[in-house]
């Protein structure tokens, strides 16, 4: 068990947390939610001991081991992948290294033998002989190929490092597991594997995530941070949302009844306070009036942007023709003879672990990359707006937010442009902020403003939910659901994909595609059945041999 006791954290004059008391118990998975800036990651740092509180403390059941998903992707560049994962259990890793050092000695003394014997005993108790196979199981589950298990961390790409650090956090069955955005940069297969791992995990998990489907799948409880307090709810994210909305509704209804009673008492007192025969009743009602207290309904700190893509022109029946598209990078085929056609009703999710193929396709469609072979043709009625995964160049300038968006607006009017910014939670004074200094979430909201103001009838999104808070993801999800045009997108948010796409195109590792008109959940169910058939057929073949 881990608990926060009267925890207060002040940053300058602002209290980020005020007298927080909460217990996280064994066998439960807690989703820690709240608006951007509410302090979710900060609270995890307090629980892990990496940040001191102004007041109060954190207690952990004696003897329990706490594990944290680290965010520094370069910290272990000098180590092998296998060693990095096993470091998740520091004591076990230290024993392994001390043993190796003793056995490597040229002059092996009796004292060395005694120490080695002690270490071997502790090593066996900690299941040390299974350490590498357990680490390999985690790595394979997250999609790290066996050929990389003994590579140096510096040789891995960013997404692979994220997976290794996650495997490190999960390694060795920790008693308390703290995960800050564990699904970021994971492909959908890795997320599905992590979901099953956490569902079957018997100890305490506290997780911060903007993936609503993930929270609904793994969480037994929800801890909501709002106005420096943490309110605990039994149930997953959807249950929290329904419960919190029901509570507000009940408080409003109770207040309405109280207000009606107050009005009734005030009218009686006003009519009969001067009447001698009714004076006692009037006095009695005054006392009753004084006892009525309205419930304080504090508005949530959450803010939802207003996302509404309105195409200026209705899209025709012929939208996009992709024929035999091939792109090679450094001798490797990223797109391998890809062909498909889109009609006016298609909303297409591009899925699969081949992330580079998706981004490359989108860049070809936007004219940023010239293919080696094949062609693309947009319909004459189409207009496109693009959300790139890497927006670095877009904001590498000293323009203010207002001037930046004005450059893309068909109407060169400050009031018109600021209207779009206001909907995206940039009030008037924020319009003079330089785009260079914006946070990741703010940059995403700027790009969405740019797409809205364009009036395009075909939208292309490359991982649009990265860096967004839950409220913005919900608003974007609702915006694309009601969009009447065509959408092509890649996204790791399961709920976003399921509620938006009516067609799934999967990129295979060799750059080819599998194209199905179906919902995402149906696609996953069929894909799982296909995998089971493959395994079953392989077992039959093995038995026959």
């Amino acid at each position: 068990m881990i608990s926060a006791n009267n925890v207060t954290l002040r940053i300058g004059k602002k209290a980020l947390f005020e007298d927080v008391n909460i217990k996280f118990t064994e066998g439960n998975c807690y989703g820690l939610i709240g608006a951007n800036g509410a302090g979710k990651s900060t609270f995890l740092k307090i629980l892990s001991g990496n940040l001191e509180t102004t007041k109060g403390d954190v207690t952990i059941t004696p003897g329990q081991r706490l594990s944290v998903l680290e965010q520094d992707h370069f910290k272990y560049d000098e180590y092998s992948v296998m060693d990095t994962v096993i470091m998740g259990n520091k004591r076990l890793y230290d024993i392994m290294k001390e043993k190796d050092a003793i056995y490597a000695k040229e002059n092996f003394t009796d004292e060395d033998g005694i120490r080695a014997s002690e270490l071997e005993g502790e090593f066996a108790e900690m299941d040390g002989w299974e350490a590498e196979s357990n680490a390999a199981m985690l790595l394979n589950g997250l999609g790290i190929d066996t050929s990389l298990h003994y590579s140096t961390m510096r040789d891995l790409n960013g997404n692979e490092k994220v997976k290794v650090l996650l495997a490190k956090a999960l390694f060795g069955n920790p008693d308390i597991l703290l995960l800050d955005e564990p699904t970021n940069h994971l492909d959908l297969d890795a997320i599905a594997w992590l979901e099953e791992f956490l569902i079957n995990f018997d100890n305490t998990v506290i997780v911060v995530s903007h993936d609503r489907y993930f929270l609904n799948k793994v969480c037994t409880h929800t801890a909501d941070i709002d106005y420096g307090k943490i309110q605990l709810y039994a149930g997953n994210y959807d249950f929290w949302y329904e419960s919190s909305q029901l509570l507000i509704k009940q408080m409003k209804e109770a207040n309405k009844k109280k207000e009606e009673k107050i009005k009734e008492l005030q009218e009686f007192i006003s009519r009969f306070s001067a009447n001698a025969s009714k004076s006692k009743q009037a006095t009695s009602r005054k006392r009753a009036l004084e006892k009525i207290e309205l419930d304080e309904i504090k508005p949530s700190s959450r803010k939802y942007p207003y996302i509404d893509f309105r195409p200026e022109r209705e899209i025709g029946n012929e939208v996009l023709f992709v024929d035999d598209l091939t792109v090679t990078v450094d001798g490797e085929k990223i797109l391998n003879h890809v062909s498909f056609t889109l009609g006016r009703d298609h909303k297409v999710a591009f899925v699969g672990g081949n992330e580079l193929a998706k981004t490359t396709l989108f860049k070809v469609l936007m004219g940023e990359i010239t293919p080696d072979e094949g062609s693309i043709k947009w319909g004459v009625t189409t207009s496109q707006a693009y959300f790139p995964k890497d927006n670095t160049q877009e904001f590498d300038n000293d323009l203010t937010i207002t001037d930046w968006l004005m450059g893309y607006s068909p109407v060169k009017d400050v009031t018109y442009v600021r209207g779009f910014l206001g909907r995206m939670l940039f009030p008037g004074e924020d319009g003079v902020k330089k785009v260079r200094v914006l946070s990741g979430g703010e940059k995403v909201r700027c790009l969405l403003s740019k797409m809205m103001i364009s009036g395009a009838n075909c939208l292309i999104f490359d991982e649009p939910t990265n860096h967004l808070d839950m409220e913005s993801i919900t608003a974007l999800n609702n915006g694309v659901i009601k969009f009447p045009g065509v959408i092509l997108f890649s996204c790791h948010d399961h709920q976003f994909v399921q509620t938006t796409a009516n067609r799934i195109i999967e990129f295979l590792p060799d750059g080819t595609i599998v194209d199905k008109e179906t919902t995402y959940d149906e696609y996953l169910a069929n894909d799982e059945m296909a995998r089971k058939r493959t395994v079953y057929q392989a077992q039959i073949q093995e038995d026959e041999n």
Side-chain angles (χ1 to χ4, degrees):
M1 183 186 76
I2 182 170
S3 62
N5 312 299
N6 296 314
V7 165
T8 296
L9 178 67
R10 294 187 178 277
I11 301 175
K13 294 182 179 180
K14 180 185 177 184
L16 193 57
F17 297 106
E18 192 78 51
D19 294 324
V20 169
N21 290 281
I22 189 168
K23 291 182 180 179
F24 303 98
T25 56
E26 186 176 341
N28 292 317
C29 179
Y30 299 85
L32 191 62
I33 65 171
N36 269 4
K40 300 182 293 293
S41 297
T42 300
F43 191 69
L44 286 188
K45 289 178 182 177
I46 290 172
L47 293 177
S48 68
N50 290 325
L51 184 63
E52 290 188 9
T53 62
T54 306
K55 188 180 76 173
D57 57 26
V58 172
T59 58
I60 297 175
T61 302
Q64 290 198 337
R65 184 169 70 85
L66 182 145
S67 183
V68 179
L69 173 58
E70 296 183 80
Q71 306 296 326
D72 185 352
H73 299 169
F74 305 100
K75 183 177 180 180
Y76 299 96
D77 274 0
E78 302 302 316
Y79 297 91
S80 72
V81 169
M82 184 61 67
D83 277 359
T84 301
V85 175
I86 295 175
M87 282 182 202
N89 188 334
K90 186 177 184 303
R91 178 57 189 157
L92 177 61
Y93 181 78
D94 289 345
I95 289 172
M96 291 173 64
K97 291 305 169 185
E98 188 175 352
K99 275 182 19 176
D100 291 345
I102 290 174
Y103 293 139
K105 285 185 175 182
E106 292 184 4
N107 300 317
F108 192 84
T109 65
D110 290 342
E111 289 78 8
D112 290 332
I114 293 170
R115 180 57 180 161
S117 177
E118 293 172 347
L119 292 171
E120 291 289 4
E122 190 175 356
F123 183 73
E125 287 179 5
M126 299 180 73
D127 202 21
W129 297 112
E130 304 298 324
E132 292 198 5
S133 61
N134 290 339
M137 180 189 71
L138 294 172
L139 290 167
N140 289 335
L142 289 167
I144 299 296
D145 192 84
T146 304
S147 63
L148 297 174
H149 289 188
Y150 293 92
S151 300
T152 305
M153 283 287 283
R154 73 161 68 90
D155 297 329
L156 271 58
N157 64 37
N159 287 352
E160 290 167 341
K161 286 183 178 181
V162 168
K163 292 180 177 181
V164 174
L165 291 178
L166 180 54
K168 175 181 179 293
L170 303 178
F171 178 76
N173 195 37
D175 300 290
I176 301 163
L177 183 57
L178 306 183
L179 302 175
D180 192 355
E181 297 292 357
T183 61
N184 275 5
H185 308 295
L186 293 188
D187 55 76
L188 292 164
D189 286 340
I191 293 173
W193 180 89
L194 178 60
E195 287 168 358
E196 290 304 312
F197 181 94
L198 294 179
I199 288 169
N200 295 306
F201 188 72
D202 293 329
N203 299 330
T204 305
V205 182
I206 307 171
V207 57
V208 171
S209 177
H210 290 148
D211 188 328
R212 299 158 295 170
Y213 182 89
F214 178 78
L215 291 177
N216 281 329
K217 197 87 184 283
V218 305
C219 291
T220 60
H221 294 72
T222 301
D224 177 32
I225 301 178
D226 212 351
Y227 288 106
K229 301 292 183 182
I230 303 182
Q231 180 71 38
L232 189 61
Y233 296 79
N236 61 17
Y237 177 80
D238 279 352
F239 185 84
W240 160 81
Y241 183 78
E242 291 170 7
S243 298
S244 60
Q245 295 303 304
L246 179 61
L247 179 61
I248 292 172
K249 181 181 178 181
Q250 288 173 338
M251 290 172 69
K252 286 181 177 179
E253 289 175 351
N255 275 355
K256 185 178 180 181
K257 290 180 180 178
K258 289 177 182 178
E259 287 168 351
E260 290 172 353
K261 185 64 176 177
I262 288 170
K263 184 179 179 182
E264 177 187 323
L265 291 172
Q266 286 174 336
E267 287 178 351
F268 185 92
I269 294 166
S270 177
R271 286 172 58 196
F272 298 110
S273 59
N275 187 322
S277 64
K278 298 283 189 179
S279 62
K280 285 187 178 180
Q281 293 179 37
T283 301
S284 174
R285 281 164 171 73
K286 281 182 182 179
R287 293 196 189 101
L289 182 61
E290 290 170 357
K291 291 179 181 179
I292 297 177
E293 292 184 6
L294 296 177
D295 294 322
E296 182 186 3
I297 304 176
K298 210 169 189 179
S300 174
S301 59
R302 290 175 171 82
K303 294 181 180 179
Y304 291 82
Y306 179 74
I307 299 178
D308 186 19
F309 302 102
R310 297 183 182 181
E312 288 185 353
R313 181 181 183 181
E314 185 176 353
I315 200 165
N317 291 324
E318 296 182 348
V319 175
L320 176 63
F321 302 89
V322 175
D323 182 38
D324 202 35
L325 207 62
T326 299
V327 175
T328 304
V329 178
D330 296 330
E332 180 183 356
K333 281 189 178 179
I334 306 302
L335 300 181
N336 190 358
H337 300 286
V338 172
S339 299
F340 61 88
T341 301
L342 297 189
R344 63 183 298 163
D345 297 320
H346 283 130
K347 290 181 169 61
V348 187
F350 291 84
V351 303
N354 194 340
E355 303 291 328
L356 181 57
K358 303 172 198 173
T359 298
T360 301
L361 172 64
F362 294 153
K363 288 185 175 181
V364 170
L365 295 180
M366 294 306 296
E368 295 182 9
I369 291 179
T370 302
D372 304 328
E373 302 175 39
S375 63
I376 65 160
K377 181 182 178 183
W378 287 101
V380 294
T381 63
T382 65
S383 55
Q384 300 82 36
Y386 174 46
F387 182 100
K389 181 186 291 186
D390 181 2
N391 58 42
T392 306
Q393 290 185 338
E394 189 78 63
F395 298 101
D396 187 19
N397 57 71
D398 291 314
L399 293 174
T400 65
I401 298 176
T402 301
D403 289 341
W404 177 86
L405 187 57
M406 183 79 77
Y408 298 105
S409 175
V411 179
K412 304 302 181 183
D413 177 74
V414 172
T415 303
Y416 178 78
V417 169
R418 284 187 172 173
F420 279 88
L421 292 175
R423 295 175 199 167
M424 296 304 290
L425 308 182
F426 293 109
E429 62 272 15
D430 276 359
V432 297
K433 285 175 69 173
K434 297 290 181 70
V435 294
R436 189 187 297 278
V437 302
L438 297 179
S439 68
E442 288 173 327
K443 288 177 179 177
V444 170
R445 284 189 275 121
C446 279
L447 288 172
L448 294 175
S449 300
K450 173 187 171 184
M451 295 180 77
M452 283 194 292
I453 211 168
S454 73
N457 56 23
C458 188
L459 307 179
I460 301 176
F461 296 101
D462 194 356
E463 300 296 344
T465 60
N466 288 355
H467 307 294
L468 287 182
D469 59 18
M470 200 89 73
E471 294 70 41
S472 296
I473 291 173
T474 301
L476 176 58
N477 199 170
N478 292 338
V480 296
I481 287 171
K482 66 182 182 182
F483 177 65
V486 168
I487 301 176
L488 301 85
F489 70 99
S490 67
C491 181
H492 290 160
D493 186 299
H494 184 118
Q495 189 167 333
F496 190 99
V497 179
Q498 168 60 20
T499 56
T500 303
N502 56 23
R503 181 173 172 182
I504 305 294
I505 295 181
E506 178 185 5
F507 269 107
L508 302 178
D510 65 355
T512 59
I513 63 171
V514 176
D515 187 353
K516 297 180 180 180
E517 293 212 17
T518 181
T519 67
Y520 184 55
D521 282 347
E522 289 169 348
Y523 159 79
L524 288 178
N526 292 333
D527 192 47
E528 182 63 24
M529 289 298 295
R531 289 177 186 176
K532 288 180 179 178
R533 283 196 298 272
T534 301
V535 171
Y536 179 66
Q537 290 166 357
Q539 289 173 341
I540 292 175
Q541 187 67 39
E542 186 176 337
D543 292 341
E544 289 176 350
N545 293 337

